[in-house]
Amino acid sequence: MDNVIIIPEKKSQRGIRIAILTSYLYQQLKEFDGEDRVIFGGAEKYMIEFCRMLHKDGHFVQVFQPFRDGYIDNKGNTKPTYPVQREFYGIPVACMPTKGNWDYSTNPDVNYTFNEMTASFDLRVYFTTFMAWPEVRRPAISISHGIFWDSPCHAVRGFAAQQKEEFFRRQLYGFTAPDVCVAVDTNVRGVIAALSPGDEYRIRVIPNFVDTTVYKPTDRPENVRPKVLYPRRLSAVRGINDFTWLAAQFPDVDFLVCGNGADRNQEEIFSQSTKGQPNVKTFWRKPEEMYEVYQECDVAIIPTRASEGTSLSMLEAMATGLPIIGTPAGGLPNLLIDNWNGLVVDLNHESLAEALGFLLSQPEAMRRFGQRNREMACECFDLEIWKLKWRNILAEVVGGRIEQCFKMQQEEIKNKPKLTAMMIVKNETNRYLEEVIANTLYFCEEIVILDDHSTDNTVEIIDKLQKEYPGRIRLSHARATWDNEGELRQELLDFALMANPDWLIAIDADELYESGMVEEVQRIISQDKAVWVGFRFYDMWNKESYRDDDIWPAGAIYAPRMFRVEKGIEYKIRERNRHCGSIPVLPEGAYGTHSNIRVKHFGWARPEDRERKYYERVAEDPNSSMFPRKVYEAILDSSPTLVKWDDNNPWQTSKKVIVYPPDMHWGIMRQRPHHLMRLAASEGNRVFFGDDKAPDMIEALPYLTLVRDWEGCNYIKDVDVLYITNPKQLDYCKGIKFKKLIYDCCDWRENTDAFLLRHADYVLCASKLIYKKIRKVIKEKAIYVPNACDFEHFSKAGKPETEIDIVGYMGCLHPVMVDENILGALADKFNIALIGENKGLQINRDAIVATGHMDYSKLPELIKNCKVGIIPFRTDSEYLRKSAPIKVYEYMAAGRPVVASPIPELLPLGEKGLIHIVANNDLKGWVDAVEQAMTEYPNTAGQEYARGQTWEARWEVVKGVLGWT
């Protein structure tokens, strides 16, 4: 099939390969609907923990889902046929294009596509039973999250008898065809027993779960307004309308609605509908933040009408010690016993109001119900119990294969390099320590921690964590203090080296590495070139957003944090009281690499932390010798530029997005696009530069990303500026939405650029002849922007170190460009160095040395021993007559006299006496001019002129054209 996705084998994983088919995890995709959107509920939380468990056990997991609504988007447009890859909490998700429609709550086309794409997998999991129809490929497991057709609005209620028979035939298949069907509640078994007696024995009941180490009770302040929580999707079947009715009956109680709607429009409608109810607050939190919401509340209400299993929301409320009001829908009776741990009501308004009124008037009953809920959650529904039951199911279905893989995995672990994290802690209570340690142990084998004289209960927190992660956390107490950071970090390093690691990574107690770090670590420790790794850090200014502005750029620097530990080297931290670095000084010339993995730094996330750090920094550096004063003052900026963190976009910026489709390679040359795009990136604009020779999608410079797979890149679909220098680049622009199209006409191409001339917002012209020609066609859209030079780079050339008179040429050596007769005449008298790739020029003279292509960084050193720079271009074509050689400015920046052909763009420089201009057919004149130029070294006037002809100056012109200044 055309849409088959090839899933790469994960070399770091030796467990079985598990494919999961779900209906809609991503409800919307940015490519088609304008945004990525996952509506969080119990199934999504289930998916996260399920995949985490499988991954932790060494298995490779891939999730598959169809596009929402087949091929048609919400505007009626036909969607493309290509698959879309996403990552959800570190889980790879393949969004499949499919042609079929839903029928009887099943989609055969999705099922067939999934089965074909996963033929090589060891196990298929049909995440909802209705996705298993019409064919199950075994070994297979299906999951029932509760009976879903009991809803009052489900289509089955209107079916004729024959239609109902077909509906239930298909549904029963998903419960009975797999090796095992895992149901979250006993109600499922009862329903299946009624529909098809005997088939209920194929079902294993594993109730839902709650992490009782995260969801736990806290003391609520006394004498505050009661808070009642609805932690659910904004859905009538979940009882949202009944909850808001209830809020109107209790105006002195705060009602919190925490959940998503089916789409933004529904959320807006709900928000508008409750505007007249000041005691109703609607919001949403990420799954990892939900525990805080429960801890703020006094009562949880789960007013479900239908389609319910053992509600994750109810379990989270139970673990937090809340009393609960619920209904007898679905699997809720497995959790809620009337008058024992809560109140069970028939879902009508009167019953709800009576139950809530009773609880609010009976604090002792609330306390008793909450205590019982906490005990029940810990003893019966804890996350670890759920994992154990699932592992038993997996052993039953594919036990032999798992055992085989486990043995292979154990053997691999013996030979696997060991990564150890090292961390300094001090007074981390109520901050981020527990979350950081859990995050770190996801990709590190162990953590060594040095406590810097904490005066709170930090050590007790670590003691508790040592019990949760036996053998993986080592603690020592510091002798040094933060007054001498270098000494303190050296003590930590010495302690970490005692663990005999192969690699060490330095992590602060307020830093979280993003998902994907597990695979990244395997990539790093399996390679043998780089000995250190740098990561991009983002200063979070709150839980969801990071700061990104000119004073505080985000992710602009790759900070070295990880290094290979090699025998025979004495590792020392730089001896400084402050800013000594997190890893030791490595041997000179040690090769490093940069990782695309981002790091969230929460050290600035709370206002009180920012204020404290401001006064600490100012006190430590009163004369602003470490950083300018404006950097310190920016800490207290009341309205900094913030960017919301996006798990799916590692290349965000607060500024503009510019794309340059594939044409030139980044690492092979430095032409006009390279310089202008470099400067665009230097100001924090995100530049995507197409380069099919790039090793991967990587940053060549801060904010400048090389894109190898241009057509498969999702980050270039909606941009601010589409920048083009060659009409052929249009072939790569299908589907790209842009605000401005800039055509930079560097070379004359006759009529091949007609489309661009008509459609570009502006056309930049590198030479005056091009400008005059184009201006006749498009008038005010044409802008003359001459070429320039990297003055700082070429001015480093310095004086020649030889007495030999050498003539130099830098650039491409093509017979249609370079006049061979001129080179021959000069070779009779001078030594000539040709620096650049030869594309067919005949060189048969002893006096000529050709270096071939040389890296841009080496050009100043190569031109250094040349006293004169030449531009012997042919002038017998319109292409060359309208050209604008960059090298003239580079020669002058290097202080070299220049002799050039009479190219119109260069004539004004000759008229100013900055260079020599000689006709191509005057070979004697060329020899005489070069001989004269030899006596004019250094070309001081030319160098001063070049000082003002910089790419920085040209970029200012381009910004003015774009209206960015």
Side-chain angles (χ1 to χ4, degrees):
M1 294 180 63
D2 294 336
N3 54 1
V4 171
I5 301 173
I6 305 301
I7 306 298
E9 186 71 53
K10 298 286 186 177
K11 294 182 180 178
S12 63
Q13 306 277 14
R14 295 302 293 272
I16 64 173
R17 302 178 76 236
I18 300 174
I20 302 174
L21 175 61
T22 187
S23 51
Y24 300 121
L25 184 58
Y26 281 92
Q27 300 274 329
Q28 293 177 226
L29 294 174
K30 182 164 54 179
E31 289 84 344
F32 317 127
D33 306 298
E35 68 171 338
D36 285 338
R37 181 170 169 82
V38 174
I39 302 175
F40 277 92
E44 289 70 33
K45 295 177 184 178
Y46 195 111
M47 178 73 78
I48 292 170
E49 291 300 340
F50 186 56
C51 291
R52 281 178 177 168
M53 176 194 71
L54 296 174
H55 191 280
K56 186 176 181 180
D57 289 352
H59 308 305
F60 168 59
V61 183
Q62 172 80 46
V63 175
F64 296 81
Q65 70 157 79
F67 284 159
R68 184 91 177 156
D69 300 324
Y71 277 95
I72 310 301
D73 68 12
N74 55 11
K75 295 181 180 179
N77 300 316
T78 300
K79 292 181 179 178
T81 58
Y82 58 84
V84 176
Q85 285 290 134
R86 282 293 182 270
E87 189 173 273
F88 174 72
Y89 281 79
I91 307 163
V93 181
C95 303
M96 309 177 297
T98 54
K99 299 176 182 177
N101 296 315
W102 291 90
D103 192 20
Y104 295 106
S105 296
T106 62
N107 192 320
D109 188 61
V110 172
N111 175 272
Y112 290 141
T113 303
F114 170 74
N115 288 336
E116 182 173 343
M117 293 167 70
T118 60
S120 64
F121 281 72
D122 301 294
L123 173 67
R124 272 152 295 282
V125 176
Y126 300 90
F127 194 68
T128 50
T129 52
F130 55 82
M131 301 301 291
W133 171 268
E135 181 183 1
V136 164
R137 293 274 182 92
R138 300 171 69 175
I141 298 171
S142 66
I143 303 176
S144 170
H145 299 276
I147 298 301
F148 66 88
W149 55 81
D150 60 344
S151 170
C153 56
H154 195 278
V156 71
R157 290 176 178 263
F159 284 170
Q162 189 173 357
Q163 291 175 306
K164 285 184 179 179
E165 182 180 348
E166 177 62 17
F167 174 84
F168 286 115
R169 184 174 76 87
R170 295 190 182 193
Q171 299 310 317
L172 284 169
Y173 182 85
F175 290 91
T176 60
D179 296 272
V180 167
C181 173
V182 173
V184 301
D185 61 77
T186 57
N187 180 56
V188 170
R189 292 190 70 173
V191 170
I192 300 304
L195 291 173
S196 182
D199 281 334
E200 72 272 16
Y201 296 107
R202 305 290 296 274
I203 295 172
R204 310 285 193 278
V205 176
I206 303 181
N208 278 328
F209 57 85
V210 60
D211 187 343
T212 58
T213 65
V214 175
Y215 291 86
K216 51 192 175 184
T218 58
D219 293 330
R220 284 269 289 140
E222 296 182 1
N223 302 319
V224 295
R225 279 167 61 102
K227 289 185 178 180
V228 179
L229 177 64
Y230 171 92
R232 321 229 63 197
R233 297 182 183 182
L234 309 183
S235 165
V237 78
R238 290 286 185 257
I240 183 59
N241 297 331
D242 306 284
F243 186 79
T244 52
W245 175 89
L246 188 63
Q249 316 311 309
F250 292 85
D252 296 328
V253 176
D254 290 330
F255 286 75
L256 276 58
V257 177
C258 185
N260 292 120
D263 52 44
R264 301 291 185 201
N265 185 51
Q266 186 195 48
E267 290 172 357
E268 179 60 24
I269 291 172
F270 178 78
S271 177
Q272 292 296 325
S273 71
T274 57
K275 270 195 170 181
Q277 294 180 258
N279 65 329
V280 177
K281 179 183 178 184
T282 305
F283 57 99
W284 177 78
R285 291 288 182 271
K286 293 182 178 179
E288 60 268 26
E289 299 167 349
M290 274 300 299
Y291 74 94
E292 297 174 339
V293 177
Y294 289 98
Q295 291 174 343
E296 292 179 9
C297 297
D298 302 284
V299 179
I301 297 184
I302 312 296
T304 305
R305 289 184 174 273
S307 302
E308 187 66 87
T310 46
S311 164
L312 274 157
S313 299
M314 183 174 283
L315 286 167
E316 290 165 355
M318 291 169 62
T320 314
L322 298 184
I324 298 169
I325 298 173
T327 64
L332 294 185
N334 290 162
L335 307 178
L336 194 60
I337 303 173
D338 191 34
N339 261 324
W340 190 81
N341 63 331
L343 299 176
V344 179
V345 300
D346 290 327
L347 195 53
N348 58 66
H349 292 168
E350 293 74 18
S351 298
L352 270 177
E354 183 181 342
L356 180 57
F358 171 79
L359 278 183
L360 295 178
S361 66
Q362 300 291 327
E364 177 55 31
M366 291 175 62
R367 185 200 64 77
R368 185 171 67 252
F369 290 168
Q371 183 177 355
R372 288 170 177 170
N373 273 326
R374 173 66 183 174
E375 293 172 355
M376 190 173 174
C378 291
E379 293 179 15
C380 304
F381 302 106
D382 185 74
L383 176 61
E384 295 305 317
I385 298 173
W386 176 83
K387 289 179 182 178
L388 179 61
K389 291 180 178 180
W390 253 112
R391 287 176 176 129
N392 288 337
I393 293 293
L394 291 169
E396 176 186 345
V397 177
V398 283
R401 176 73 177 130
I402 291 178
E403 183 63 27
Q404 176 188 359
C405 291
F406 178 75
K407 291 179 180 178
M408 296 169 67
Q409 193 176 352
Q410 293 301 107
E411 189 62 33
E412 185 181 75
I413 288 173
K414 291 180 183 177
N415 304 316
K416 176 182 170 183
K418 176 183 176 183
L419 172 62
T420 298
M422 54 182 181
M423 180 187 301
I424 294 173
V425 298
K426 182 169 185 175
N427 295 339
E428 306 296 341
T429 301
N430 297 324
R431 298 190 77 244
Y432 314 99
L433 182 59
E434 294 180 71
E435 188 177 2
V436 168
I437 286 180
N439 173 266
T440 303
L441 288 177
Y442 197 54
F443 58 85
C444 287
E445 290 188 37
E446 65 178 351
I447 305 177
V448 296
I449 300 176
L450 186 67
D451 178 62
D452 177 17
H453 306 86
S454 292
T455 56
D456 60 1
N457 67 335
T458 296
V459 173
E460 287 79 359
I461 293 173
I462 296 172
D463 287 342
K464 184 195 77 169
L465 292 171
Q466 285 179 315
K467 295 181 178 67
E468 291 184 20
Y469 301 98
R472 300 185 67 190
I473 301 174
R474 304 186 188 194
L475 174 65
S476 182
H477 300 280
R479 299 184 301 276
T481 68
W482 188 252
D483 291 336
N484 189 325
E485 182 186 352
E487 188 176 322
L488 186 67
R489 289 198 180 276
Q490 184 65 52
E491 188 176 344
L492 171 65
L493 176 62
D494 292 340
F495 177 42
L497 290 170
M498 293 172 61
N500 295 316
D502 297 292
W503 285 81
L504 274 173
I505 184 169
I507 296 177
D508 289 347
D510 51 15
E511 295 171 353
L512 291 173
Y513 283 70
E514 71 175 326
S515 61
M517 186 60 176
V518 173
E519 288 78 14
E520 181 71 351
V521 163
Q522 299 308 315
R523 181 189 70 80
I524 291 169
I525 65 178
S526 63
Q527 56 84 42
D528 56 7
K529 292 182 180 179
V531 298
W532 62 266
V533 184
F535 297 92
R536 294 186 294 161
F537 285 75
Y538 290 73
D539 290 310
M540 307 300 292
W541 231 246
N542 54 50
K543 287 185 177 180
E544 296 183 348
S545 302
Y546 57 85
R547 183 166 179 175
D548 184 24
D549 52 38
D550 291 336
I551 296 178
W552 217 284
I557 298 174
Y558 288 79
R561 285 301 189 90
M562 183 173 170
F563 70 99
R564 188 199 307 272
V565 178
E566 301 185 44
K567 294 181 180 179
I569 296 178
E570 184 179 7
Y571 290 103
K572 294 293 182 183
I573 297 289
R574 187 175 285 105
E575 293 183 3
R576 288 182 184 172
N577 288 353
R578 193 69 76 239
H579 304 297
C580 58
S582 299
I583 66 174
V585 178
L586 298 176
E588 186 176 353
Y591 174 73
T593 187
H594 293 161
S595 170
N596 287 341
I597 293 294
R598 297 173 295 170
V599 185
K600 292 181 178 179
H601 174 228
F602 284 94
W604 306 94
R606 303 187 303 183
E608 59 267 32
D609 288 336
R610 295 196 288 274
E611 184 174 0
R612 172 179 56 80
K613 289 188 175 186
Y614 168 78
Y615 289 109
E616 288 177 353
R617 299 294 192 274
V618 170
E620 286 181 352
D621 188 20
N623 299 320
S624 300
S625 56
M626 295 181 185
F627 294 99
R629 183 73 183 190
K630 67 178 182 179
V631 173
Y632 296 131
E633 296 303 325
I635 295 173
L636 300 181
D637 190 339
S638 60
S639 57
T641 302
L642 301 183
V643 178
K644 189 172 182 180
W645 181 276
D646 184 347
D647 287 324
N648 296 312
N649 186 359
W651 312 110
Q652 294 167 279
T653 177
S654 62
K655 296 188 177 179
K656 306 294 184 181
V657 177
I658 306 170
V659 299
Y660 181 72
D663 182 42
M664 301 182 184
H665 300 299
W666 177 261
I668 295 177
M669 59 185 72
R670 284 292 183 274
Q671 295 296 321
R672 180 176 170 115
H674 300 79
H675 292 293
L676 293 179
M677 293 299 94
R678 169 181 60 84
L679 291 167
S682 72
E683 296 182 352
N685 302 296
R686 172 59 60 189
V687 176
F688 292 104
F689 194 102
D691 185 350
D692 59 11
K693 291 189 180 298
D696 203 343
M697 192 168 181
I698 62 169
E699 274 198 322
L701 299 170
Y703 293 102
L704 193 149
T705 306
L706 301 185
V707 181
R708 182 176 63 185
D709 180 14
W710 188 264
E711 293 183 354
C713 179
N714 294 320
Y715 309 113
I716 60 172
K717 304 301 183 186
D718 194 351
V719 303
D720 295 289
V721 177
L722 175 58
Y723 173 67
I724 289 179
T725 58
N726 188 334
K728 292 181 179 179
Q729 291 174 281
L730 288 173
D731 294 340
Y732 296 95
C733 297
K734 296 172 184 175
I736 296 179
K737 297 179 182 178
F738 54 85
K739 296 186 176 100
K740 297 284 186 183
L741 170 58
I742 300 296
Y743 174 38
D744 195 352
C745 188
C746 306
D747 299 297
W748 180 248
R749 303 179 186 277
E750 294 297 339
N751 295 319
T752 61
D753 55 3
F755 178 87
L756 282 166
L757 295 182
R758 289 198 310 271
H759 291 87
D761 292 283
Y762 297 100
V763 178
L764 312 182
C765 306
S767 75
K768 283 190 176 179
L769 284 187
I770 292 177
Y771 171 68
K772 290 177 181 178
K773 190 80 174 178
I774 290 178
R775 187 168 172 76
K776 292 179 181 178
V777 180
I778 60 173
K779 298 181 180 179
E780 68 277 358
K781 290 202 301 183
I783 313 292
Y784 175 51
V785 183
N787 278 323
C789 66
D790 183 347
F791 183 83
E792 293 298 324
H793 185 59
F794 284 94
S795 63
K796 298 174 184 176
K799 298 179 180 179
E801 295 179 348
T802 178
E803 297 298 323
I804 302 173
D805 292 339
I806 301 175
V807 177
Y809 171 86
M810 297 189 303
C812 178
L813 296 163
H814 200 295
V816 302
M817 180 179 291
V818 176
D819 193 321
E820 295 176 89
N821 294 326
I822 295 175
L823 287 181
L826 295 178
D828 288 338
K829 188 163 185 178
F830 305 103
N831 291 290
I832 301 175
L834 302 180
I835 306 166
E837 183 181 2
N838 191 340
K839 293 190 175 182
L841 194 71
Q842 296 299 314
I843 301 172
N844 301 310
R845 305 295 291 273
D846 293 338
I848 298 177
V849 175
T851 66
H853 171 74
M854 301 302 294
D855 189 87
Y856 181 77
S857 63
K858 297 178 180 178
L859 294 183
E861 186 66 26
L862 291 168
I863 203 70
K864 180 176 185 177
N865 286 321
C866 302
K867 275 192 177 179
V868 175
I870 60 172
I871 307 176
F873 278 10
R874 295 173 59 168
T875 56
D876 54 359
S877 70
E878 281 296 299
Y879 174 83
L880 289 170
R881 280 181 52 76
K882 289 183 170 67
S883 66
I886 295 174
K887 58 182 64 59
V888 67
Y889 301 107
E890 295 171 342
Y891 290 153
M892 288 194 292
R896 268 57 191 170
V898 182
V899 181
S901 298
I903 299 164
E905 186 70 11
L906 302 183
L907 294 180
L909 298 177
E911 293 168 1
K912 294 177 182 179
L914 298 173
I915 67 173
H916 295 271
I917 300 291
V918 183
N920 285 56
N921 59 2
D922 185 3
L923 299 182
K924 182 178 183 304
W926 266 90
V927 173
D928 292 343
V930 170
E931 192 166 35
Q932 174 62 30
M934 287 288 181
T935 67
E936 296 171 352
Y937 173 83
N939 182 5
T940 306
Q943 191 169 46
E944 282 306 305
Y945 180 80
R947 189 186 299 274
Q949 309 305 308
T950 63
W951 291 114
E952 286 77 6
R954 305 297 187 256
W955 173 240
E956 290 300 318
V957 174
V958 175
K959 286 198 297 180
V961 169
L962 291 168
W964 292 0
T965 56

